[in-house]
Amino acid sequence: MRVAAGAGLGLAALAVAALGGPALAEAWLIGFLIWMHIGVGAVGVLALGHLLREDWLTPVRLPLEAAARTLPLLVLMALPVLLVPENLYPWATDPTLPADNPRAALLQPWFFQLRGAACPLIWTLLGWRLARPGTHPRLSVLALVLLLPTTTLAGFDLVLSRDTTWYASLQGFSIWVAGLAAALAAAILAAPTRADSKGMPGLERALLTLALTVLWLWFTQFIVVWMADLPNEAGWYLRRLDEWRWLQLGVALPAVLLAIALAAPPDHGRWRMAAVCWLLLVQFAAHLWWVVRPDAPLAQPAPWLDALVFAGLSLAFGLWWRAERARLLTAASAATSTGAPSHAVPGPAHAGARASGLRSPPPATG
């Protein structure tokens, strides 16, 4: 299944790079960014869970580890963006920055392609190392230290660099935090937990904390730009508050506010937890679209093209994720049958059992 997903995605990516125009590349970029941040977000959530030794990691560990092991797909998804940057980034064909500008050195196609290949490789290595049985506090520290600069840099390269007159250091970080919330929400939906499971209160607090952090980062960036009253920064927001304001003010903002309202009272229950998760996924996709699409330099793809490309990328991600989940369950079952020792944070077999509402088998002794 992984081979089929990888081969199909690789052929599609090469076809888009060789034959696709700006509209197809624009649709591909949105889908790539959504799955990139969910995959990298899964690595970040795993690192936080291991570092803090939180109980909430137990019921969602299996889907998070499977998502972290899908990151090789990012290298394939990035091909149309890296091979034909002129379809998406005006500076690739018509540099607008003077040569003495520090950002002009960053916005060289070869350097952009080098960073675009290096970041997914780093994330892939971290994901595969974290998706192992046991606890990994030291590796988690290293992972968070590497994720912060690489995700911020990727946010600048893939999103913000389309407007070379303005740069906000918090934008890349805020999108990554929203990706953390989306990855945790998707993992909860993929691994249903009982209302009385051990990690449920921790999951409730984690979702609420991430939702509040996302809202705070949105507000902080906006208020700083409003107080500074600089033309370039104001222009960036004005473009998005004109014909695109319905997406942020009508979809993303109400979704995150409703998610916070539902997540604030304790003892969620399954239906309220699921509602919070879906709302966080909606706000993540809507906000990312609001940030990315208004600066499309050459073409706005038709809605059906966006839907078709996103469906194809989602299918590849889902097939690879299911294959990795099955592999993790098989490996964990084999380890349990041979009497492997238990860990402070249960391994995939325990996580899978708890996620499905079953009692995990007792660890072997002797």
Side-chain angles (χ1 to χ4, degrees), residues 103 160 163-171 220-241 290 295:
R103 279 187 289 165
L160 301 177
D163 182 356
T164 58
T165 65
W166 182 74
Y167 173 70
S169 59
L170 280 179
Q171 280 285 2
T220 299
Q221 293 173 95
F222 182 81
I223 201 67
V224 167
V225 169
W226 178 74
M227 293 178 66
D229 194 23
L230 297 176
N232 291 334
E233 285 80 350
W236 190 90
Y237 276 100
L238 288 174
R239 286 196 302 277
R240 286 155 178 79
L241 293 176
W290 181 78
D295 284 334

Side-chain angles (χ1 to χ4, degrees), residues 181-260:
L184 182 57
I188 293 171
L189 293 172
T193 55
R194 299 178 304 177
D196 60 345
S197 71
K198 184 179 179 182
M200 194 69 162
L203 285 174
E204 295 173 0
R205 293 192 299 270
L207 283 175
L208 178 60
T209 300
L210 288 171
L212 288 170
T213 304
V214 168
L215 184 62
W216 178 79
L217 287 170
W218 289 1
F219 176 76
T220 299
Q221 293 173 95
F222 182 81
I223 201 67
V224 167
V225 169
W226 178 74
M227 293 178 66
D229 194 23
L230 297 176
N232 291 334
E233 285 80 350
W236 190 90
Y237 276 100
L238 288 174
R239 286 196 302 277
R240 286 155 178 79
L241 293 176
D242 188 11
E243 61 178 303
W244 295 93
R245 63 180 179 273
W246 65 270
L247 195 56
Q248 180 74 345
L249 301 180
V251 180
L253 184 59
V256 73
L257 290 176
L258 185 55
I260 291 170

Side-chain angles (χ1 to χ4, degrees), residues 21-87:
L24 184 56
E26 191 69 34
W28 187 281
L29 177 65
I30 286 286
F32 164 57
L33 289 174
I34 289 175
W35 288 116
M36 182 192 85
H37 282 93
I38 289 180
V40 179
V43 177
V45 174
L46 279 173
L48 288 171
H50 284 303
L51 183 62
L52 301 176
R53 298 180 183 271
E54 288 284 354
D55 289 336
W56 56 254
L57 183 60
T58 301
V60 295
R61 178 168 177 172
L62 177 62
L64 286 173
E65 288 180 343
R69 290 167 67 97
T70 62
L71 292 181
L73 283 178
L74 294 184
V75 180
L76 298 176
M77 288 186 186
L79 287 178
V81 180
L82 299 181
L83 295 179
V84 196
E86 56 269 20
N87 283 337

